[in-house]
């Protein structure tokens, strides 16, 4: 197990999206400034807790599907966030004990908890890179990644709840393309992304709340999320709301969720 030691100081003067997400998931690894910002979001959109939970559940299901049905044994998870068990590698290694995972995030607080990300099976391997999605070459060229993943074999690129923090002027589509270009045929892309399709005025307010805290955000439509999968073979059911993407409970006997409450698109594609 390896991780980068190039830690920056943790900024507690303003909220961070990863720490706010930790609050939504019921975690304890956040600061008062994050809690206050998250509660401001929740006051406007009480469904944010459901949205975060369903995004997390989609990641679990997508990981299992790729491991079981497509033989994926390597993952690159960018925008990892603060560890919440089960982490991606625990889900992957529950199906394939030899699975290898590289986590990357730009929040120094995630590095603080990196050891939690490294608890894997004896056969598997994990590594942590402190890197930013907007600098894909640095992530792809990191020694930690080179020691952990074989880029000549299929890799699943996991981008969960990160792309809505990458506005268009940062070229998110180009960055995803560069990352996928570095991966061989048989690799996969898994994305979850908040949307304003069901409550545009509400989400406009939420984007403003994040902006006031120093975090830019941009929600996208179903068609805009689908653009991230250009050139890939989308798995059924295509771009769907997170709770509708291959649910563990297809008969719908669990709690009834409204589309507006969830408000997050998800999809998985395979590189031909």
């Amino acid at each position: 197990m390896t991780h980068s030691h190039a830690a920056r100081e943790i900024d507690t003067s303003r909220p961070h999206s990863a720490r706010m997400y930790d609050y939504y998931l019921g975690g304890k690894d956040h600061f008062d400034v994050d809690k206050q910002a998250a509660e401001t979001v929740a006051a406007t959109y009480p469904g944010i807790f459901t949205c975060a939970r369903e995004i997390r559940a989609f990641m679990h299901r997508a990981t299992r599907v790729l491991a079981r049905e497509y033989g994926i044994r390597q993952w690159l998870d960018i925008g990892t966030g603060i560890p919440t068990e089960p982490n991606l590698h625990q889900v992957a290694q529950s199906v394939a004990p030899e699975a290898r995972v590289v986590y990357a995030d730009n929040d120094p607080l995630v590095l603080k908890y990196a050891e939690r990300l490294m608890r894997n099976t004896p056969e598997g391997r994990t590594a942590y890179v402190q890197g930013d999605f907007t600098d894909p070459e640095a992530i792809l060229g990191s020694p930690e990644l080179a020691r952990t993943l074989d880029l000549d074999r299929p890799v699943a690129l996991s981008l969960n709840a990160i792309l809505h923090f990458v506005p268009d002027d940062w070229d998110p589509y180009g960055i995803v393309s560069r990352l996928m270009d570095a991966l061989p045929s048989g690799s996969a892309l898994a994305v979850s992304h908040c949307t304003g399709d069901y409550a545009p005025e509400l989400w406009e307010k939420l984007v403003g709340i994040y902006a006031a805290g120093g975090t830019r955000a941009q929600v996208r439509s179903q068609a805009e999320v689908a653009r991230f999968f250009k050139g890939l073979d989308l798995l059924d059911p295509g771009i769907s709301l997170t709770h509708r993407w291959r649910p563990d409970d297809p008969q719908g006997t669990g709690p009834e969720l409204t589309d507006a409450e969830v408000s997050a698109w998800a999809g998985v594609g395979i590189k031909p």
Side-chain angles (χ1 to χ4, degrees):
M1 62 184 184
T2 59
H3 61 77
S4 168
H5 293 276
R8 302 187 307 274
E9 285 207 15
I10 297 171
D11 182 1
T12 61
S13 67
R14 62 182 187 177
H16 190 286
S17 58
R19 302 193 300 259
M20 291 171 67
Y21 189 62
D22 174 75
Y23 178 81
Y24 301 145
L25 290 173
K28 301 184 183 302
D29 298 316
H30 52 264
F31 301 104
D32 285 343
V33 66
D34 307 304
K35 178 180 178 181
Q36 291 167 11
E39 289 181 343
T40 300
V41 169
T44 302
Y45 168 42
I48 188 63
F49 301 101
T50 298
C51 177
R53 184 179 67 246
E54 292 303 318
I55 284 174
R56 189 82 184 170
F58 159 75
M59 182 272 284
H60 293 168
R61 296 195 304 277
T63 300
R64 289 196 298 268
V65 165
L66 289 171
R68 286 175 180 161
E69 300 180 23
Y70 293 88
I72 297 289
R73 295 295 182 264
Q74 302 187 110
W75 276 261
L76 172 56
D77 181 68
I78 302 179
T80 299
I82 294 163
T84 302
E85 294 193 2
N87 293 307
L88 188 151
H89 74 277
Q90 293 169 313
V91 176
Q93 291 173 357
S94 71
V95 178
E98 72 276 23
R100 295 182 166 221
V101 178
V102 169
Y103 293 106
D105 201 285
N106 67 355
D107 185 354
L109 187 61
V110 180
L111 175 61
K112 178 181 176 182
Y113 293 100
E115 293 302 321
R116 198 186 301 173
L117 293 167
M118 307 299 185
R119 298 173 188 164
N120 49 216
T121 60
E123 305 96 321
R125 187 176 177 89
T126 57
Y128 176 76
V129 177
Q130 189 167 349
D132 197 291
F133 172 79
T134 59
D135 189 1
E137 286 77 16
I139 294 174
L140 291 168
S142 68
E144 292 84 5
L145 186 145
R147 287 194 292 264
T148 309
L149 303 183
D150 178 358
L151 297 187
D152 291 326
R153 297 173 55 234
V155 176
L157 174 62
S158 179
L159 300 175
N160 283 291
I162 179 175
L163 291 171
H164 44 243
F165 295 117
V166 187
D168 281 346
D169 56 317
W170 291 359
D171 191 26
Y173 296 103
I175 295 170
V176 171
S177 292
R178 292 203 294 278
L179 288 164
M180 291 305 298
D181 284 348
L183 307 179
S185 174
S187 293
L189 172 65
V191 168
S192 57
H193 195 304
C194 289
T195 184
D197 284 357
Y198 294 92
E201 293 182 0
L202 182 148
W203 279 91
E204 186 176 342
K205 291 180 182 177
L206 298 181
V207 168
I209 293 170
Y210 273 92
T215 298
R216 295 188 63 190
Q218 179 176 338
V219 292
R220 294 184 171 92
S221 68
Q222 184 181 28
E224 289 171 325
V225 173
R227 280 183 55 200
F228 288 109
F229 294 89
K230 184 178 179 180
L232 305 180
D233 296 329
L234 270 174
L235 304 188
D236 289 336
I239 307 300
S240 66
L241 291 167
T242 49
H243 65 307
R244 300 188 191 282
W245 196 93
R246 303 200 183 189
D248 291 329
D249 179 22
Q251 302 304 316
T253 57
E256 187 172 340
L257 303 176
T258 68
D259 293 348
E261 186 180 14
V262 174
S263 285
W265 293 115
V268 178
I270 303 294
K271 183 175 180 177

